[in-house]
Amino acid sequence: MSGIKVSIDRIQVGNYVKLPLGWCDHPFMFNNFKIDSQEQLLLIRKLGVSHVTVYPQRSDNGLLPPQKPGTESPEPASNIDLEQIRCELWERKQQGIEKLKSHRRRITKTEKNFKSAMIQVRSVMSKLSSRPLNAIDEAEQLIGNMVDSLLKEEHIVLHLMSETKENENIYYHSLNVSVLAMLLARMKSLDASVIKSIGMGALFHDMGKLKIPPQILRKTTALTNAEQNFLNLHPKYGLDIVNLVDTFPESAKAIIAQHHELLDGSGYPKGLEGDDIDLFAQLVSVVNTYDTLCHPMDISKARVPSNALSWLYKNSANKYNQSDLKLLVKVVGVYPPGSVVRLSNDQIGMVLSVNTNRLLYPNILIYDAEVPRAEAPIIDLEQLELTITGVIKPDKLPERIYEYLNPRSRISYYFESTKDNG
């Protein structure tokens, strides 16, 4: 897209312009934007610049004809208080900067809590065989800590559910499912004790896989019938493990035993149907399937959230609890925090938070090479009448954009798929 340099007297409302100033030298949120009001036009003319760049392809209107020599630009209407408008724009811009700084501080704190939780998950797993009582006690402490910390920063913690590490997929998956399941339970307004019980069941739902040979768990090609039958026993193995400890909550055991049961009876290990499946197990089943779709053992088959949710809707009419599926969409959004997206104005940004009542209009951190990284603007899509046109895989981003948007050492959380896996 090419722009043309024009004198300030030729621009009008509807022109898409680029200001020849540093980001800190004007009150507007962007250096590039479409002039959408007379007030904006008059403020631009008061910036002390003689020329701006106009992009005709993005403009709604053409340029004004050149002024005749000796004529002056029209004075602003007397009823427009430009100084007040300028001050309001500066204040809004500063508020956006402070909002981003606060968000980065919260990310740092939440990331520390998430890493601590992951360390505890590994510790719990390592103790299950030799010291099951200690493992369960430690897990209950972990769930309590997550309720007090991670669940209070739900938008940020979704950033942190990112890549897994070889040989540690079960730890990441267990923590992800536990956090998401508790977020759904909280949205149901369940009691704190019930939320913690669901968190325990979700945390231990795949523990039976510790008894499954690694070559089966890591296999990326189709399992043989014998291998699949072996894998299908992991809910039973998991229940055997927690039954060794009298203090494990009874209400959480059904989650472990039934998280692969499906409402139409096509699940395993017992082929239960409908109301015979525990309600909490139905909730965890939805979350478990969703996280597996987004973080499969074979990363090449990973789906973006919209694709994963679409797959669940198309394939779940008689299999999964639809109420829980709708709650999952409300919690993570179609574009969850951490998603890198392209907007209808061709800008690139990262989703910071989900608007649960406006799932297609999350808050976006915008990439702009001319804006300092620490002061990048946060925008409300609906307010600016913008939409998301696509999701971008982080490793497809130029390094400068990757580093700019990334609030931590890596960008999370879901990856673009060029295949139709549905």
Side-chain angles (χ1 to χ4, degrees):
M1 184 179 68
S2 58
I4 54 176
K5 185 177 180 180
V6 300
S7 60
I8 202 74
D9 57 278
R10 297 194 61 193
I11 61 175
Q12 64 174 324
V13 174
N15 288 160
Y16 192 96
V17 301
K18 177 180 180 181
L19 304 178
L21 296 170
W23 190 69
C24 297
D25 298 328
H26 61 80
F28 300 103
M29 190 62 72
F30 302 103
N31 281 6
N32 309 270
F33 58 93
K34 185 184 293 182
I35 305 172
D36 60 16
S37 69
Q38 189 68 18
E39 290 82 358
Q40 282 187 347
L41 177 63
L42 295 174
L43 280 173
I44 293 173
R45 287 177 172 165
K46 290 290 186 179
L47 290 176
V49 298
S50 60
H51 293 78
V52 296
T53 300
V54 174
Y55 296 90
Q57 304 96 315
R58 284 185 161 181
S59 298
D60 294 335
N61 297 318
L63 298 171
L64 296 175
Q67 283 191 351
K68 296 180 180 180
T71 60
E72 297 182 358
S73 299
E75 288 296 315
S78 58
N79 63 339
I80 297 178
D81 189 342
L82 284 183
E83 182 58 25
Q84 180 181 346
I85 295 173
R86 187 186 69 83
C87 290
E88 289 175 354
L89 287 175
W90 273 117
E91 182 178 356
R92 197 177 307 154
K93 190 171 185 176
Q94 190 59 40
Q95 288 174 350
I97 293 172
E98 291 304 317
K99 183 178 179 180
L100 176 60
K101 289 180 178 178
S102 173
H103 187 78
R104 290 189 187 279
R105 288 193 294 269
R106 288 163 57 205
I107 283 177
T108 299
K109 181 179 179 181
T110 306
E111 181 179 20
K112 182 179 178 181
N113 291 335
F114 191 85
K115 286 182 176 179
S116 176
M118 183 55 64
I119 291 172
Q120 282 187 275
V121 170
R122 293 191 190 100
S123 174
V124 166
M125 305 306 173
S126 67
K127 294 175 182 176
L128 269 177
S129 299
S130 58
R131 289 176 288 167
L133 180 59
N134 289 347
I136 301 304
D137 288 344
E138 189 172 333
E140 289 181 334
Q141 181 182 14
L142 167 60
I143 294 298
N145 291 340
M146 288 198 292
V147 170
D148 294 336
S149 58
L150 294 181
L151 265 61
K152 293 181 179 179
E153 294 285 6
E154 64 179 88
H155 295 306
I156 295 177
V157 78
L158 290 174
H159 275 281
L160 307 176
M161 297 177 184
S162 52
E163 78 262 12
T164 60
K165 295 182 179 179
E166 188 176 2
N167 302 328
E168 294 192 343
N169 180 278
I170 190 173
Y171 305 145
Y172 283 85
H173 176 64
S174 297
L175 183 58
N176 285 354
V177 173
S178 184
V179 170
L180 282 175
M182 286 193 289
L183 287 174
L184 264 66
R186 188 180 66 176
M187 187 166 281
K188 284 175 172 281
S189 300
L190 299 177
D191 291 340
S193 60
V194 176
I195 294 174
K196 291 179 180 179
S197 179
I198 291 173
M200 283 289 286
L203 186 68
F204 283 90
H205 79 282
D206 264 352
M207 291 309 96
K209 287 185 177 179
L210 295 176
K211 294 189 175 183
I212 305 296
Q215 59 268 31
I216 293 180
L217 295 178
R218 297 177 196 161
K219 191 174 181 181
T220 56
T221 56
L223 298 179
T224 65
N225 287 338
E227 290 170 336
Q228 187 64 56
N229 289 337
F230 201 169
L231 180 62
N232 289 358
L233 289 173
H234 79 266
K236 176 186 178 301
Y237 293 152
L239 191 60
D240 290 343
I241 292 172
V242 299
N243 276 334
L244 296 174
V245 182
D246 294 337
T247 57
F248 192 84
E250 285 294 325
S251 58
K253 291 182 179 180
I255 294 174
I256 298 171
Q258 300 177 12
H259 68 277
H260 279 294
E261 302 287 359
L262 300 174
L263 297 180
D264 64 356
S266 63
Y268 65 84
K270 293 186 177 180
L272 300 178
E273 296 183 34
D275 293 339
D276 291 336
I277 304 173
D278 179 82
L279 288 176
F280 297 159
Q282 292 181 33
L283 182 150
V284 173
S285 176
V286 170
V287 174
N288 176 55
T289 303
Y290 177 74
D291 191 70
T292 300
L293 288 170
C294 296
H295 299 112
M297 190 66 68
D298 183 356
I299 194 64
S300 69
K301 297 179 180 178
R303 302 167 188 260
V304 295
S306 56
N307 183 277
L309 292 171
S310 175
W311 186 95
L312 275 171
Y313 272 111
K314 283 194 293 184
N315 294 275
S316 72
N318 302 309
K319 297 178 184 294
Y320 299 97
N321 186 303
Q322 297 300 296
S323 175
D324 291 335
L325 182 52
K326 290 176 182 177
L327 278 180
L328 178 64
V329 175
K330 278 199 169 186
V331 169
V332 303
V334 175
Y335 307 101
S339 297
V340 181
V341 295
R342 186 179 301 279
L343 305 182
S344 53
N345 65 353
D346 288 333
Q347 286 185 295
I348 292 174
M350 183 177 67
V351 177
L352 284 187
S353 60
V354 174
N355 292 319
T356 56
N357 294 321
R358 300 174 299 139
L359 294 175
L360 295 178
Y361 297 97
N363 293 312
I364 305 289
L365 174 73
I366 293 296
Y367 167 76
D368 189 327
E370 298 184 23
V371 178
R373 179 178 181 269
E375 300 173 351
I378 300 171
I379 65 170
D380 182 311
L381 290 185
E382 191 170 40
Q383 185 178 9
L384 295 181
E385 298 182 348
L386 295 173
T387 58
I388 292 172
T389 58
V391 180
I392 303 173
K393 187 176 180 180
D395 62 15
K396 299 296 184 183
L397 290 172
E399 186 175 356
R400 68 183 186 283
I401 301 180
Y402 180 100
E403 292 298 329
Y404 185 101
L405 291 175
N406 191 2
R408 308 176 295 112
S409 59
R410 48 193 162 84
I411 285 183
S412 54
Y413 148 61
Y414 292 102
F415 297 89
E416 174 184 59
S417 175
T418 57
K419 304 174 183 177
D420 182 6
N421 294 320

